[in-house]
Amino acid sequence: MIRRLCIVGVGLIGGSLARALREAGYVDEIVGSSRRAGHLQEAVDLGVIDRYDTDPAKAVAGADMVFVSVPLGAMRAVFERIGPALSPGAVVTDGGSAKASVVRDLDAALGRVPDWFVPGHPIAGTERSGVAASFPELYRGRRVILTPTAQTAPEATAKVRAMWEAAGAQVNTMSVEHHDEVLAATSHLPHMLAFALVESLARMAEQREIFEYAAGGFRDFTRIASSDPTMWRDICLANRDALLHALDRFETDLRVLRDAVDRHDDETLQRIFTEAKRARDAFNDPAESSQD
Ligand code: NAP
């Protein structure tokens, strides 16, 4: 059980965790913080948080668990504010989509990586943002990756694991570096491709006609291009090295496909599509109908 949970950044990710834990009866009180009082009042009106303070240092006072779910570019400033204001015994975790950058930001903000910090990333979300888009089932049956550092206290990791399990998630742990490589390939690269494709089509002279005739395939492939631009700018900058690696590898593979089309190489096309179909058919996502 959490006595007082503080959520810094009460948007889709933070708001959904608050709703899930409240529904599970796992938390007594939820305090929110972000820049705009209007957003926080909306969260109170929706019953997501009990009260708020736009000063994160005041919001974390007395909290036994703190969840930081602001865009990656805002993490360092939040850590600088909350670090000195935490109550003894408080555990801090986050929901940022890249992990090495968050650990670096904490180190830069406090001059060390404390034992009470448990980096985390829920592999769940939608292309929508803000507290109004949050819902309590977001994490049900979905994975959450925790990436404890060499300094992280095992009891802190256990508390964060228990919190996510109460929200309905399955928790895995891995290293910060491994997380960033895996997510660059499975999440960050697909978002780059979707953004690039839609932006490229939108620039074509006949774009209106193109979008008019766009059907299911276009919709399936490009839904994630509606994701928040600021969040994705931050993710690209935060996970630069792993993302560049994934983009370079994909560029090479795309070139193979292009050359096969150019050479009328039916065998190569058949082989690539067959292998892709086999891999995709074998991918059994319990939340196929939901979003990532
Ligand atoms: P969101 O819906 O836009 O929520 C972000 C929240 O952070 C808002 O409440 C915003 O409120 C607050 N915020 C923004 N800048 C801030 C700052 N400088 N100081 C304090 N609060 C600030 O975004 P989200 O989708 O929940 O994403 C939050 C985090 O989760 C990001 O780090 C993202 O990488 C990660 N994540 C996202 C997804 C996804 O699919 N969306 C999935 C997994 C992880 P104000 O405007 O009032 O400040």
Side-chain angles (χ1 to χ4, degrees):
M1 276 286 294
I2 298 171
R3 203 173 33 74
R4 183 181 295 167
L5 169 68
C6 176
I7 297 196
V8 184
V10 192
L12 170 72
I13 293 300
S16 295
L17 180 63
R19 288 182 193 261
L21 294 177
R22 205 190 271 296
E23 210 175 85
Y26 195 76
V27 58
D28 284 341
E29 187 189 21
I30 306 178
V31 183
S33 184
S34 74
R35 295 164 305 179
R36 281 169 275 215
H39 287 163
L40 294 165
Q41 187 56 50
E42 186 185 5
V44 171
D45 295 343
L46 289 167
V48 174
I49 56 174
D50 297 302
R51 60 184 176 86
Y52 64 82
D53 201 308
T54 50
D55 181 349
K58 290 188 182 146
V60 297
D64 44 339
M65 177 70 74
V66 178
F67 181 58
V68 184
S69 45
V70 298
L72 287 167
M75 290 279 180
R76 179 172 172 174
V78 168
F79 291 142
E80 279 168 357
R81 290 289 302 146
I82 68 172
L86 292 165
S87 296
V91 170
V92 181
T93 185
D94 77 302
S97 303
K99 298 280 40 103
S101 75
V102 174
V103 175
R104 270 197 309 271
D105 285 347
L106 186 66
D107 198 3
L110 304 185
R112 68 196 168 99
V113 179
D115 62 358
W116 42 254
F117 183 63
V118 186
H121 178 200
I123 311 300
T126 75
E127 68 281 13
R128 299 181 58 218
S129 306
V131 70
S134 66
F135 56 101
E137 301 83 16
L138 177 62
Y139 304 116
R140 206 167 287 164
R142 307 307 302 265
R143 284 177 194 273
V144 169
I145 300 175
L146 301 182
T147 62
T149 66
Q151 292 82 4
T152 305
E155 313 83 71
T157 306
K159 282 185 187 165
V160 175
R161 174 187 285 274
M163 174 183 78
W164 279 114
E165 287 175 350
Q170 278 181 300
V171 179
N172 296 92
T173 55
M174 62 177 70
S175 72
V176 163
E177 296 73 23
H178 189 54
H179 167 279
D180 284 1
E181 276 169 30
V182 170
L183 269 292
T186 57
S187 170
H188 307 168
L189 176 64
H191 278 82
M192 296 307 102
L193 303 186
F195 281 127
L197 175 66
V198 176
E199 196 270 339
S200 166
L201 290 182
R203 262 188 296 112
M204 289 170 69
E206 63 282 27
Q207 58 154 295
R208 282 190 58 179
E209 196 200 38
I210 282 180
F211 288 127
E212 220 165 276
Y213 291 110
F218 177 83
R219 222 180 5 253
D220 289 351
F221 186 74
T222 59
R223 170 182 58 79
I224 54 179
S226 288
S227 302
D228 183 57
T230 306
M231 181 176 116
W232 280 97
R233 179 204 62 194
D234 285 3
I235 291 172
C236 288
L237 300 176
N239 202 19
R240 175 179 174 274
D241 293 349
L243 179 57
L244 282 177
H245 186 66
L247 280 166
D248 289 346
R249 202 178 42 217
F250 183 77
E251 205 172 59
T252 306
D253 292 342
L254 189 62
R255 174 68 52 183
V256 170
L257 196 58
R258 189 210 170 279
D259 289 350
V261 173
D262 189 26
R263 290 195 318 269
H264 295 271
D265 181 350
D266 56 345
E267 262 177 46
T268 299
L269 294 174
Q270 186 76 29
R271 179 184 56 73
I272 291 172
F273 298 156
T274 302
E275 181 53 30
K277 176 171 166 45
R278 192 197 57 73
R280 183 63 177 83
D281 289 350
F283 168 70
N284 179 22
D285 184 355
E288 180 83 60
S289 57
S290 102
Q291 333 261 306
D292 65 353

